[in-house]
Amino acid sequence: MGVFRQVLLIGLVALTLGAPSKVSAEWQLSDVCPAGFRPDQGRCYLQSLYGDYASLQNSGVGGLKTGLPPLREGFTPQQIDLGRLMFFDPLLSGDGTLACSSCHQPSKGFADGRGVSVGINGQLAHRSAPSLWNVGFLKRLFWDARASSLEEQMEGPLYSPIEMGNTRAQLLTSLQQNDNYPSLFKQAYGDPNIGLDRIYTAITAFEASLVSLNSRYDLYANGVHEVLNQDEIEGMNVFRSFVARCAECHTPPAFTNQQIAVIGAPEPEGRPLDSGVQGVSGDASQRGGFKVPTLRNIELSAPYMHSGRFATLREAVAFYTGGRGHAVPAGEKLSLHWHIWEPNLTDRELDLLVAFMKTLTDESFMPVLPSAVPSGLKPVGVTASTTNNPDAEH
């Protein structure tokens, strides 16, 4: 079993706030690729058995040995490590209290455990924070799919007045005037110049390294069948059946087809219907439509749906057997996805689905969580119990 598992490894704050405290230790970026990545001429590329499979993910509902979508890769170890430090550094927010990791916490599946995220000055965002596991495989970002790259996506929360509340000018100034970041940018890029494109590239490099492809499901899919029990195998069969139809949208191995789906999920009590993709495209047929999320590490990222409407996986899967359009508000006529129908799943089948989805949990390539960041501020989303290598950041 150990051999099989080894083979499968996939591998400033504004000036008015005062200067950040100095960090006396010399910071040195890692020159080693993250776990699951192989070095090639100084850059890091994913190692995965899925890369050996000729069939593509969009060739059906996802066989057990189906290839993955392309991954954003080819970054240097230093770029990835620089992005890791910035990801947890509250210097990137407008008031020095928030970081990317505020809404994407490692201990919560790189989500935040909230129905809607909390931004600067306690303001509420409009939707829940999605998990970042395997985000480097995605072609569209945000629930409403309005961004087509990680670089484009990160500009949203960085500069939103209700999220991180920063500005481009302040972000550059705070990093440029920090005692440590110019040296770190020199290590990552060859010179100490700090520009927005370099900031975005480094954070993209780190986020794209958050790969989760070594779950018990993956072991099963690649021939280690004893890792799943009978209930989990039956749950997988329900998941892939033409009755439940889960795999037609949550297509293995990425467990998303990256398309838009109008499913008619209810909003929390008292909240009006979220127009979803229609708010971006203006297309009435996409009203209430959202990007199909991955189910990777879904066990860790409750609550569920774009608004956090369902507190548990059991509640979320039960929604799909409640009847086509049963939760659509009166007066709304949504163009529901044709996969949404009335499968009439039993309680037993719903429980089996939940059991199967929990086999998708895998944090074996959790990155090193820093106990300190270059700004000298306290890292966000990292506690003593979650720091897996407190000395690795220097």
Side-chain angles (χ1 to χ4, degrees), residues 353-365:
L353 282 174
V354 171
F356 168 67
M357 287 191 284
K358 290 182 177 181
T359 72
L360 302 176
T361 301
D362 163 44
E363 299 180 291
S364 57
F365 294 153

Side-chain angles (χ1 to χ4, degrees), residues 89-359:
D89 199 333
L91 188 63
L92 274 66
S93 66
D95 65 357
T97 64
L98 300 172
C100 305
S101 53
S102 297
C103 293
H104 300 287
Q105 301 174 25
S107 64
K108 297 177 180 176
F110 280 95
D112 65 3
R114 298 176 178 272
V116 293
S117 298
V118 178
I120 195 167
N121 298 321
Q123 298 179 88
L124 296 180
H126 302 302
R127 297 177 182 133
S128 66
S131 170
L132 293 185
W133 282 114
N134 291 349
V135 71
F137 292 107
L138 302 184
K139 296 181 293 186
R140 295 191 265 191
L141 289 307
F142 291 114
W143 280 103
D144 56 16
R146 66 184 183 273
S148 58
S149 71
L150 282 167
E151 292 89 341
E152 181 185 358
Q153 180 277 330
M154 70 183 63
E155 293 190 67
L158 276 171
Y159 309 127
S160 167
I162 65 171
E163 294 187 60
M164 293 179 71
N166 214 336
T167 66
R168 291 168 176 81
Q170 180 178 320
L171 177 60
L172 286 173
T173 299
S174 49
L175 290 173
Q176 290 165 351
Q177 294 187 352
N178 176 262
D179 293 320
N180 296 303
Y181 273 113
S183 171
L184 293 174
F185 273 76
K186 183 176 181 179
Q187 293 177 47
Y189 294 104
D191 63 66
N193 295 327
I194 299 177
L196 292 175
D197 56 341
R198 289 182 168 184
I199 296 170
Y200 303 155
T201 294
I203 298 175
T204 292
F206 170 67
E207 292 181 345
S209 75
L210 300 175
V211 170
S212 178
L213 295 172
N214 199 28
S215 68
R216 289 191 298 121
Y217 163 80
D218 297 299
L219 292 169
Y220 181 93
N222 288 278
V224 190
H225 291 169
E226 64 268 25
V227 297
L228 298 190
N229 63 37
Q230 190 59 37
D231 281 356
E232 293 163 342
I233 293 172
E234 289 183 27
M236 179 180 65
N237 291 335
V238 175
F239 185 91
R240 299 182 68 234
S241 72
F242 285 100
V243 176
R245 295 181 136 163
C246 308
E248 295 182 18
C249 287
H250 298 285
T251 311
F255 284 87
T256 171
N257 62 7
Q258 308 206 49
Q259 297 178 11
I260 304 302
V262 182
I263 66 172
E267 301 289 341
E269 290 295 329
R271 285 181 56 180
L273 179 77
D274 187 330
S275 62
V277 177
Q278 182 195 28
V280 176
S281 67
D283 185 345
S285 71
Q286 295 181 319
R287 182 168 178 77
F290 296 95
K291 185 188 68 176
V292 176
T294 179
L295 297 183
R296 292 280 182 172
N297 285 318
I298 193 70
E299 178 184 11
L300 308 175
S301 58
Y304 303 107
M305 303 296 184
H306 65 278
S307 63
R309 176 63 175 80
F310 299 120
T312 67
L313 271 177
R314 183 60 163 73
E315 292 177 30
V317 297
F319 160 77
Y320 290 95
T321 199
R324 181 177 172 86
H326 71 278
V328 175
E332 291 280 358
K333 294 185 178 180
L334 303 184
S335 300
L336 295 176
H337 196 288
W338 67 277
H339 292 167
I340 301 300
W341 67 309
E342 299 186 15
N344 296 318
L345 300 179
T346 66
D347 285 344
R348 167 72 174 159
E349 289 169 323
L350 295 175
D351 290 338
L352 291 172
L353 282 174
V354 171
F356 168 67
M357 287 191 284
K358 290 182 177 181
T359 72

Side-chain angles (χ1 to χ4, degrees), residues 26-90:
E26 181 178 352
W27 288 77
Q28 186 69 38
L29 295 177
S30 174
D31 60 359
V32 177
C33 290
F37 286 77
R38 60 175 175 81
D40 186 350
Q41 299 184 350
R43 296 183 177 272
C44 303
Y45 296 90
L46 180 67
Q47 294 187 108
S48 167
L49 288 184
Y50 290 112
D52 296 333
Y53 303 146
S55 59
L56 299 177
Q57 184 198 27
N58 60 4
S59 63
V61 298
L64 296 184
K65 296 186 177 182
T66 303
L68 286 159
L71 175 69
R72 289 291 304 276
E73 57 185 346
F75 300 102
T76 68
Q78 293 84 358
Q79 290 169 348
I80 296 170
D81 205 31
L82 174 60
R84 177 183 68 94
L85 294 173
M86 287 194 290
F87 184 88
F88 293 96
D89 199 333

